[in-house]
Amino acid sequence: MRWWWIPFLLFALFLGVAGYQLTQPKDEFVPSAMIGEPLPTFDLRPAVDGMPGVASSDLRDGTPHLLNIWASWCVPCIAEAPQLERLREAGADIVGVAIRDRPEDVAAFLSRYGNPYTRIGADDLSEVQLAIGSSGVPETFVINGKGRITYQHIGDIRAEHVPRILAELEKAGG
């Protein structure tokens, strides 16, 4: 008879834990475990005619780069296009990896929204995307001159993110 309160206590404990979890902010982004690690080895064919593809060796040339994971079918990629152009104008070398895309769609996207890229590789099976720890599009990585990932920006780049990305790019070059 003295144990009647145990189920009540367990139920109250469950409500307390559930209430606590429901009030915590959600973190929908999964940071890459590759931050601080060297890029995995890859060699992607060109995603569009007239531009070179991209290989991991291209990103070990002694200068820092931005590696932008994107797709023509990605609506946030449209929103970030002006900011990528702004980064390019500020001197950033931006290399693109087009995820599960068709060359004609990539060309149409670049024609409509601009082309800030020096190279664009086609990642038809998202193999490079997964290898570097990207969980969605768009995502942008800062790669130092030795091919090491030093920073990850998850989601579309907005105007307020540009100074931080430029600072991370400068830090990666030093």
Side-chain angles (χ1 to χ4, degrees):
M1 290 292 171
R2 298 186 316 205
W3 303 101
W4 66 268
W5 55 271
I6 291 177
F8 177 75
L9 180 65
L10 291 174
F11 184 69
L13 181 65
F14 169 76
L15 287 178
V17 169
Y20 174 78
Q21 290 296 325
L22 289 173
T23 59
Q24 297 304 303
K26 289 172 86 178
D27 187 5
E28 299 174 354
F29 298 114
V30 180
S32 172
M34 294 295 290
I35 306 299
E37 300 294 324
L39 275 173
T41 301
F42 61 87
D43 188 5
L44 299 175
R45 67 171 171 76
V48 64
D49 290 338
M51 290 194 73
V54 62
S56 53
S57 60
D58 297 327
L59 304 173
R60 295 184 187 115
D61 62 359
T63 61
H65 303 271
L66 293 179
L67 178 66
N68 180 244
I69 307 292
W70 69 287
S72 67
W73 44 263
C74 159
V75 174
C77 296
I78 296 169
E80 92 170 346
Q83 305 317 318
L84 290 176
E85 185 61 29
R86 203 169 139 205
L87 287 163
R88 186 193 64 77
E89 289 171 358
D93 180 73
I94 306 172
V95 172
V97 173
I99 303 299
R100 292 174 271 126
D101 229 325
R102 298 182 317 179
E104 60 270 22
D105 294 334
V106 171
F109 183 97
L110 298 175
S111 175
R112 186 167 188 180
Y113 302 108
N115 182 0
Y117 303 104
T118 55
R119 302 174 162 271
I120 304 174
D123 191 6
D124 297 330
L125 300 175
S126 297
E127 292 171 312
V128 171
Q129 179 188 26
L130 295 174
I132 64 173
S134 168
S135 59
V137 289
E139 282 190 33
T140 303
F141 295 85
V142 174
I143 313 297
N144 73 11
K146 297 177 182 171
R148 187 172 296 272
I149 301 169
T150 61
Y151 179 75
Q152 175 189 26
H153 178 86
I154 300 173
D156 58 305
I157 297 171
R158 298 182 182 160
E160 64 268 22
H161 301 138
V162 169
R164 169 81 189 264
I165 292 172
L166 286 172
E168 292 291 337
L169 194 59
E170 185 174 327
K171 199 164 52 174

